[in-house]
Amino acid sequence: MKYGIIATLLSVFVLGPAIAEESPRAPVVGTFLFEPHGSFRMRSELWRDIDELDSEFRESSDFRFRFEPRMFLGDRIKILGRIDLEDTVSGTGPISKFSGVSGTLQPVDAEPNPVFVRSVYAEMKLFNYGYLTIGRKPASWGLGILENDGSDRWSDLADYNDTLALRVPMVDDTQLELSFDFPFEGIGADSTMGPVDVTDADDIYQLRLKFYSGGKEKPGKRQGLTWGIYGRIRWQDFSSAYQDQNKPGCSPDAEGELAWECAELFKRDALLGIPDAWVQWGTPLGGGVLFLASEIWAQAGKIGAT
């Protein structure tokens, strides 16, 4: 009788004060502070009897060193980043769903890409009225159904937006946030400076409005009632042909030159609206805290042309 064996080894090493929560330290006016947060993760799996023709043991591993620096310029500006210095796969076995195969993971026989810059963004305090954020930032909301920032160390994927956002603290630690985002930039092309956006016509834009309590846009460990209300409007005028990026009979002027004039676009006139709400209740239970949370969302939209 055929049987299968899988053994998984998980390990995490944390650099510095790399806790998921925001650092409690706050710099004073006129100071410069740099905090090197980060972690190293490795997961290994041992397989046997993958199929009827293969009864040998096979091993596969994926590992990642994530660097998440924080830079504080006085008490009004902070710059945060997420950089994966190594995110790759090795071994001769398959990668199970548990390992979370993603676009960031390289095939076993591929050359690993040593650096992935996931996000870099700056947040500036506007006197005492709010906070302005600009850059590529992990997107987070609620229980992670719509947006998940991948802050859990076992997460392989995450949502990111190029964003310009304004957040205003309200009464009782509630927050109101409005953002204008560029979640997708359509087709790209290679250049000497790396991948670039071929045209802005097929870009997708969105507006997000968030209103939440507890000072966080997702449930935390706060007792009592916390909640969040969310609205997103997303639109796209043109759609690009990903399978055939060039118009028929069109080619770049020179070898290696970007085909700006060759991008084939289709009229789309797409509009999508997404409302969302989450709620959490935390109450003491025995020696700990019991949390009950729920999130609900819906979407409605139209495509005016195809």
Side-chain angles (χ1 to χ4, degrees), residues 10 56 73-74 88 91 134 153 158 167 174 177 190 224-225 293:
L10 306 177
E56 298 180 356
L73 305 177
T88 190
I134 184 170
R153 296 190 183 95
R167 176 170 58 89
T174 57
E177 181 176 333
D190 293 329
L225 179 68

Side-chain angles (χ1 to χ4, degrees), residues 60-298:
S60 59
S61 299
D62 71 271
F63 52 93
R64 180 185 72 197
F65 177 68
R66 171 161 289 179
F67 184 47
E68 297 183 284
R70 300 176 184 176
M71 183 186 303
F72 297 87
L73 305 177
D75 63 344
R76 295 193 180 276
I77 299 176
K78 63 179 179 180
I79 302 173
L80 300 93
R82 176 181 291 178
I83 305 171
D84 290 342
L85 300 180
E86 193 69 58
D87 189 355
T88 190
V89 171
S90 64
T92 59
I95 301 297
S96 70
K97 293 182 179 180
F98 179 80
S99 294
V101 174
S102 72
T104 66
L105 297 178
Q106 303 296 310
V108 173
D109 58 352
E111 291 293 331
N113 189 338
V115 178
F116 292 94
V117 180
R118 305 299 185 191
S119 69
V120 177
Y121 65 96
E123 183 178 275
M124 180 174 61
K125 185 177 182 180
L126 301 176
F127 303 101
N128 295 321
Y129 301 104
Y131 299 86
L132 180 67
T133 301
I134 184 170
R136 177 163 295 181
K137 180 182 179 181
S140 175
W141 177 254
L143 302 180
I145 297 177
L146 281 181
E147 299 175 354
N148 193 319
D149 60 4
S151 57
D152 183 273
R153 296 190 183 95
W154 303 118
S155 297
D156 292 304
L157 300 177
D159 298 311
Y160 300 93
N161 288 322
D162 293 333
T163 186
L164 176 64
L166 177 64
R167 176 170 58 89
V168 179
M170 310 291 282
V171 296
D172 296 330
D173 207 19
T174 57
Q175 308 279 325
L176 179 65
E177 181 176 333
L178 176 65
S179 66
F180 177 63
D181 311 313
F182 306 88
F184 303 102
E185 295 184 342
I187 58 175
D190 293 329
S191 72
T192 56
M193 300 299 293
V196 297
D197 188 16
V198 171
T199 174
D200 294 334
D202 61 343
D203 291 356
I204 296 177
Y205 306 96
Q206 70 180 20
L207 284 172
R208 292 181 298 164
L209 181 64
K210 302 178 181 180
F211 186 46
Y212 50 93
S213 68
K216 294 184 178 181
E217 53 195 357
K218 59 183 179 180
K221 298 181 179 180
R222 184 173 179 176
Q223 297 186 29
L225 179 68
T226 52
W227 49 267
I229 301 173
Y230 172 107
R232 178 205 293 174
I233 298 177
R234 177 178 288 183
W235 66 94
Q236 182 186 31
D237 295 329
F238 293 88
S239 176
S240 53
Y242 290 90
Q243 291 78 16
D244 183 11
Q245 296 184 3
N246 291 340
K247 296 177 182 178
C250 186
S251 61
D253 296 333
E255 184 177 354
E257 188 175 309
L258 298 178
W260 304 102
E261 72 280 5
C262 293
E264 186 174 14
L265 301 176
F266 302 90
K267 190 68 175 177
R268 187 63 71 192
D269 286 336
L271 180 67
L272 180 66
I274 301 179
D276 182 286
W278 63 266
V279 62
Q280 176 179 276
W281 174 260
T283 182
L285 181 65
V289 180
L290 173 67
F291 292 99
L292 301 175
S294 179
E295 180 175 357
I296 185 172
W297 68 280

